[in-house]
Amino acid sequence: MSDWPEGRNGGPGERYGRGSASPRPESARAMPHVRRRPAPPQSPPHIPPQQGPGYEDGPGYDSDYNTGQVYGGGGQRGGGHGGGRGGDSGYVQPRPAPNWGRRLKVGVLSLVVVVLAVSVGTYFWADGKLKREVDLSKVIDRPSEGDGTNYLVVGSDSREGMTAEDKKKLHTGSAEGKRTDSMMILHDGSNGPTLISLPRDSNVEIPSFVGSESGKKFAGTGRQVKLNAAYAEDGPELLVRTVEFNTGLHIDHYVEIGFGGFAKIVDAIGGVEMDIPKAFKDKNSGADFQAGKQTLNGEQSLAFVRTRYAFAGSDLDRTKNQQKFLAALASQTATPSTILNPFKLYPTMGAGLDTLIVDKDMSLWSLGNMFFAMKGVTGGEGTSMNIPLTGQSVNGNLVWDKAKVKQLVEQLKNDEKVTVKGN
């Protein structure tokens, strides 16, 4: 019995085929033509995760897929296996948590760099404005140095840079040249600052000196003059020489400011608050003040420190007002609201540095120390006084108490607490 179905080789009625009884050989048989479709584009094989027990890894399989991992999920194992394969799983790598410690360090470092850059720039800007015009090396026969630092602080009636309108407004007059309107010694030491006013009418001796311009030596003749005459005769160098000769105290630095600069500093910080115990008026200085607390602008401040004809003590009372005002000015300037506010700090520094005259060895550091020492005079840690006096000489000048002055100078030289009382 044949297993072939009918119509196939070996079946009934088949003419040709293997096992045919026909004597004719079997001819070639045409095979049906099969059209093959083009192969689809090849893509990386996608191997689904295997399920069920008994599965064994075989060739081409990654054992990591035998973890029950779900494709397209947020998790990813190890170094990139799983859903990230082929880029078609929709996997999104999570963003790392921000490193706040590193960000804080970078922020602090950036702030420090900016502050340093601004500080360095400010230093060179301010240093370039200082007028180092006084050469103390020209002063001869100087006393020995002591402990602490001694500044000679001078307020001059210089009208340099002032317009005719400024002179009229500030009641300065139009006199040529310049004279000293106030002179003070500021000692900065370990026992607190000491501010000593030297009345301009003090009777002093002009010693031998070398001319600041000519270089010629002038021998001392015992000539007695008012202290401010030394400045008028040969400027700051002779003034320093005269103060050192008559006191025996070594002066380390010289600082001078004129009328215009003084008024500008006060206006730059928004005025200075003063408590005036008694009303007074003076047509010469332009002063017209009521009693009580009030804020003085630049014009009023200049009138306040220059007034002397309205007081019974004349120049002595004026020096006391000058001390009180300078201490208040320093105290109200050295505050965070000024130092940390560039809109107040730079105008204040600019106003002062534009008209400030100092010695050639003065640094900004020394100037800053002087400023804060001035602030400390009335801060409970300092002393302010007039130089001790005995009375008046025949020519009407104020005479110093030589014994007390000598004791005072010894205390300053040794940086001791000042116990001497002034006028």
Side-chain angles (χ1 to χ4, degrees), residues 406-422:
K406 182 178 180 180
Q407 183 183 359
L408 172 63
V409 170
E410 286 300 315
Q411 290 178 343
L412 295 178
K413 276 188 173 183
N414 297 326
D415 204 12
E416 301 171 351
K417 186 174 180 60
V418 173
T419 59
V420 178
K421 303 297 181 183

Side-chain angles (χ1 to χ4, degrees), residues 44 91 95 108 124 132 142 151 157 182 192 198 234-235 258 271 304 312 345 348-349 354-355 360 364 367 372 385 413:
Y91 172 75
R95 295 179 63 184
V108 171
F124 284 105
R132 297 182 173 92
R142 309 192 67 185
Y151 301 85
D157 64 358
S182 61
L198 309 176
D234 198 48
F304 181 82
L345 176 62
T348 301
M349 292 180 65
D354 279 343
T355 57
K360 292 184 180 297
L364 284 178
L367 190 62
F372 281 97
M385 58 188 291
K413 276 188 173 183

Side-chain angles (χ1 to χ4, degrees), residues 13 27 34 61 66 81 139 144 165 172 180 192 195 199 245 274 276 286 304 310 358 380 384-385 402:
S27 62
V34 178
Y61 288 88
N66 191 20
H81 297 300
V139 180
S144 61
E165 184 179 351
T172 64
T180 52
L195 184 62
F245 177 81
M274 294 291 297
I276 300 177
F304 181 82
V358 299
S384 61
M385 58 188 291
K402 293 184 178 180

